Amino acid sequence: MLQGKLALVTGSTSGIGLGIARALAAQGGGIVLNSFTDRDEDHALAADMAKEFGVKVVFEAADLTRPAEIESLARRCEAHGGVDVLVNNAGTQHTAPVDQFPVERWDAIIAINLSSAFHTIRAALPIMRKAGWGRIINVASTHGLVASGEKTAYVAAKHGVVGLTKAVAIECADTGVTCNAICPGWVLTPLVQKQIDARAAAAGIAPEEAKKRLIGEKQPQLQFTSPEQLGAFAVFLCSPAASNMQGAQLVSDGGWTAQ
Ligand code: NAD
């Protein structure tokens, strides 16, 4: 379905971003993987994926806290053939009560989880408009729809991503470009494993018990959403079946936000 198209997936060396990149590659799309790191293993990951799926896969480093690096990333994507699909996935987390929240962590979370999506969209949209087709997929969260304590920066950023998605969707209407958000509940990735380990240490319990408690608090279905399931969401959003979806939030959260 995506043959001849190129997808930029930010923050795609692990977790959800990697799951989405793999699902898009399986549809024949070329992939630009990204992270702020620039390790041999990042480039090896791209080479392995290219071999596995028989598509072009390159790794391009860019620290998404820096608008100039995002601009340069967009230009490098253009040189690889354009940006047909943009997946704004990079994200980070920090938990602390609001009055003890480190200012630099607030700034970093807003920059990576929210502002980077503004900068990538700003750079990619003219390329998509020119092509007459494009898919912008923003990875928000259940925390873009509801809140939890001790996550002020993350909740503010993710609500911002949902708002940005709606506003861009309206601007894109009738251009062949769509903009939608994916809102996962818990997904067992390095971002969440850090929270499980911190909870286990704080409560003096085993990580397995901390994992059960974490999911039990929020998700009645008691199952983590998988990166593969979110990859399937991204494929759906690129398909003709989703061509009339604009500004939507696709939720996969085991009933979290149904309560
Ligand atoms: P992860 O830690 O596995 O991956 C995060 C990715 O972002 C990594 O590739 C990392 O290199 C990249 N990244 C971090 N800082 C960056 C920077 N400054 N510049 C460029 N790249 C940077 O996390 P994940 O759980 O896969 O999260 C991916 C997205 O999904 C995030 O936006 C997160 O908020 C969202 N999300 C995660 C969950 C979950 O339960 N894991 C739930 C809902 C939403």
Side-chain angles (χ1 to χ4, degrees), residues 11 13-14 16 35-36 62-64 89 140 154 158 184-185 187 189-190 192:
T13 51
S14 76
I16 295 168
S35 167
F36 64 98
D63 180 348
L64 301 185
N89 166 78
Y154 190 84
K158 294 299 187 181
V187 186
T189 66
V192 166

Side-chain angles (χ1 to χ4, degrees), residues 57-245:
V57 185
V58 292
F59 173 82
E60 292 290 355
D63 180 348
L64 301 185
T65 59
R66 297 165 192 247
E69 290 198 23
I70 298 175
E71 186 60 38
S72 149
L73 175 64
R75 297 289 79 85
R76 283 177 272 156
C77 287
E78 242 183 325
H80 289 303
V83 187
D84 302 291
V85 180
L86 167 63
V87 183
N88 286 307
N89 166 78
T92 183
Q93 174 65 286
H94 185 83
T95 58
V98 64
D99 54 339
Q100 291 160 40
F101 211 91
V103 172
E104 66 280 7
R105 294 307 306 161
W106 170 277
D107 288 343
I109 289 173
I110 298 297
I112 299 166
N113 297 20
L114 174 59
S115 300
S116 73
F118 159 73
H119 292 292
T120 55
I121 291 170
R122 195 175 156 271
L125 197 50
I127 305 170
M128 291 178 173
R129 279 204 179 112
K130 211 164 148 189
W133 191 93
R135 294 288 178 267
I136 300 169
I137 301 169
N138 295 325
V139 180
S141 166
T142 47
H143 284 117
L145 306 171
V146 295
S148 298
E150 305 201 353
K151 293 189 174 176
T152 45
Y154 190 84
V155 169
K158 294 299 187 181
H159 274 68
V161 169
V162 170
L164 174 72
T165 303
K166 292 178 188 174
V168 172
I170 290 167
E171 289 188 29
C172 286
D174 287 342
T175 63
V177 179
T178 69
C179 181
N180 294 286
I182 292 177
C183 296
W186 292 122
V187 186
L188 197 52
T189 66
L191 182 141
V192 166
Q193 190 60 50
K194 271 187 223 151
Q195 294 175 62
I196 292 170
D197 293 345
R199 280 165 169 247
I205 55 174
E208 209 45 44
E209 179 58 25
K211 193 198 281 184
K212 272 192 206 149
R213 289 189 196 176
L214 174 116
I215 199 155
E217 277 170 19
K218 300 284 188 186
Q219 295 195 189
Q221 196 167 310
L222 302 179
Q223 272 168 34
F224 289 93
T225 296
S226 70
E228 290 75 18
Q229 287 171 326
L230 300 173
F233 265 14
V235 169
F236 168 69
L237 286 170
C238 293
S239 75
S243 66
N244 205 31
M245 288 181 69

